[in-house]
């Protein structure tokens, strides 16, 4: 029997086994929405760069009904704006920071500062870590049969959120993600752009021109590694 750990309980209107972006129609205030995302999915949605937002907009697909909270908040101890589960906020399109409202309401055409006490629908990030150990190709096939792909990681925040998910000891020290070396460069197998990379600094630089290790994995330290595609590792579908 396959040993699969699901870190998500799908209680929204999402229809497939694992959508990377989940729109939750429940009307919650910002703290409640954040808790919901962290409990039922991976975390609150973060859109930390232009490319990441472009990928997300494909999910929204011009559906004007899909708008709501995303994961920006004011972190008092560090005295800065942060993404839920991630890094400091540097990308806000053309929106100026507000000293009145502390959270962001996302719409396809613009972002708006709104009070976190208000109740709105919201977006969660959703990644499923599969404990069963498979080769990269078999992991890709497993995800594909479930209507999804091996995950892409489009920002430092998204990578950190995935890193947090794979910490339990039941998962291998590295887990497969959707990185594959084809032709002369690394690509996300789902066709996403690559605005962010997390290869190690110094040390093993085999990923620069891999001969055998042509599949990408995420370590529990948050670093990407090139690995032999025939290794059997846990993996992330999204």
């Amino acid at each position: 029997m396959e040993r699969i750990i699901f870190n998500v309980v799908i209680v929204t209107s999402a229809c497939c086994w694992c959508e990377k972006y989940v729109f939750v129609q429940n009307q919650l205030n910002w703290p409640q929405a954040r808790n919901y995302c962290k409990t039922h999915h991976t975390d609150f949605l973060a859109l930390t760069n232009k490319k990441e937002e472009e990928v997300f907009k494909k999910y929204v697909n011009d559906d004007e009904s899909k708008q709501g909270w995303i994961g920006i908040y004011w972190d008092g101890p560090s005295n800065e704006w942060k993404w839920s589960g991630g890094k400091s906020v540097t990308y806000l399109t053309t929106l100026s920071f507000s000293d009145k409202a502390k959270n962001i309401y996302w719409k396809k055409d613009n972002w708006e500062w709104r009070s976190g006490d208000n109740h709105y629908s919201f977006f969660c990030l959703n990644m499923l870590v599969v404990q069963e150990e498979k080769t990269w190709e078999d992991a890709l096939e497993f995800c594909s049969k479930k209507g999804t792909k091996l995950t892409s990681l489009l920002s430092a925040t998204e990578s950190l959120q995935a890193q947090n998910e794979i910490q339990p000891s039941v998962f291998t020290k590295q887990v497969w993600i959707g990185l594959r070396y084809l032709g002369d460069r690394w690509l996300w197998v789902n066709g996403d752009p690559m605005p962010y990379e997390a290869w190690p600094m110094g040390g093993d630089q085999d990923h620069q021109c891999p001969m055998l290790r042509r599949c990408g994995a995420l370590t529990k330290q948050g670093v990407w590694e090139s690995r032999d595609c025939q290794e059997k590792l846990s993996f992330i579908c999204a």
Side-chain angles (χ1 to χ4, degrees):
M1 181 179 292
E2 292 180 332
R3 298 176 295 118
I4 305 172
I5 288 186
F6 293 92
N7 69 329
V8 171
V9 178
I10 299 180
V11 294
T12 71
S13 59
C15 62
C16 71
W17 181 74
C18 176
E19 288 182 328
K20 186 173 184 179
Y21 306 115
V22 175
F23 177 62
V24 183
Q25 296 182 2
N26 301 9
Q27 302 281 306
L28 301 178
N29 65 33
W30 194 94
Q32 291 170 338
R34 183 189 191 192
N35 182 65
Y36 184 101
C37 288
K38 293 174 75 69
T39 300
H40 297 293
H41 301 285
T42 300
D43 211 320
F44 228 147
L45 174 68
L47 300 173
T48 67
N49 59 62
K50 183 177 180 179
K51 290 294 184 182
E52 194 170 17
E53 187 174 15
E54 287 176 357
V55 171
F56 171 68
K57 283 182 177 179
K58 293 178 182 178
Y59 161 77
V60 175
N61 194 29
D62 294 327
D63 186 345
E64 296 292 345
S65 70
K66 289 183 177 179
Q67 56 187 32
W69 291 129
I70 57 174
I72 290 178
Y73 71 102
W74 175 255
D75 183 54
S78 63
N79 198 39
E80 63 179 337
W81 298 97
K82 299 189 75 172
W83 290 104
S84 177
K87 303 292 185 177
S88 301
V89 173
T90 58
Y91 173 70
L92 275 174
T93 63
T94 58
L95 194 64
S96 299
F97 282 117
S98 169
D99 60 356
K100 296 180 181 179
K102 304 298 184 183
N103 302 107
I104 289 288
Y105 184 89
W106 185 92
K107 298 166 67 175
K108 184 173 67 71
D109 297 325
N110 65 291
W111 301 17
E112 298 177 358
W113 288 109
R114 296 194 182 181
S115 169
D117 295 330
N118 295 333
H119 289 67
Y120 300 114
S121 302
F122 54 96
F123 298 95
C124 300
L125 175 71
N126 190 32
M127 290 184 274
L128 290 177
V129 187
V130 181
Q131 179 184 343
E132 185 176 1
E133 299 170 23
K134 293 181 176 291
T135 67
W136 190 92
E137 294 284 355
D138 287 345
L140 178 65
E141 182 180 5
F142 180 96
C143 294
S144 296
K145 285 181 177 179
K146 299 296 184 178
T148 183
K149 298 287 186 181
L150 286 172
T151 194
S152 58
L153 300 173
L154 304 182
S155 67
T157 291
E158 199 166 274
S159 188
L160 180 59
Q161 290 168 329
Q163 180 188 349
N164 291 337
E165 294 298 302
I166 66 174
Q167 293 305 310
S169 60
V170 294
F171 303 127
T172 52
K173 292 181 179 180
Q174 301 87 12
V175 301
W176 291 129
I177 54 178
L179 273 177
R180 187 65 185 263
Y181 192 83
L182 295 171
D184 60 352
R185 61 194 179 112
W186 288 94
L187 302 169
W188 290 117
V189 69
N190 64 4
D192 282 351
M194 194 175 290
Y196 164 80
E197 298 184 18
W199 299 109
M201 301 294 291
D204 183 4
Q205 296 294 305
D206 181 71
H207 70 276
Q208 293 182 352
C209 189
M211 298 298 293
L212 297 175
R213 296 187 290 177
R214 301 169 70 90
C215 291
L218 175 69
T219 72
K220 294 190 177 186
Q221 292 72 44
V223 175
W224 298 354
E225 288 186 355
S226 57
R227 312 289 300 186
D228 186 330
C229 299
Q230 295 306 305
E231 288 187 64
K232 292 187 176 182
L233 304 175
S234 302
F235 52 98
I236 305 175
C237 296

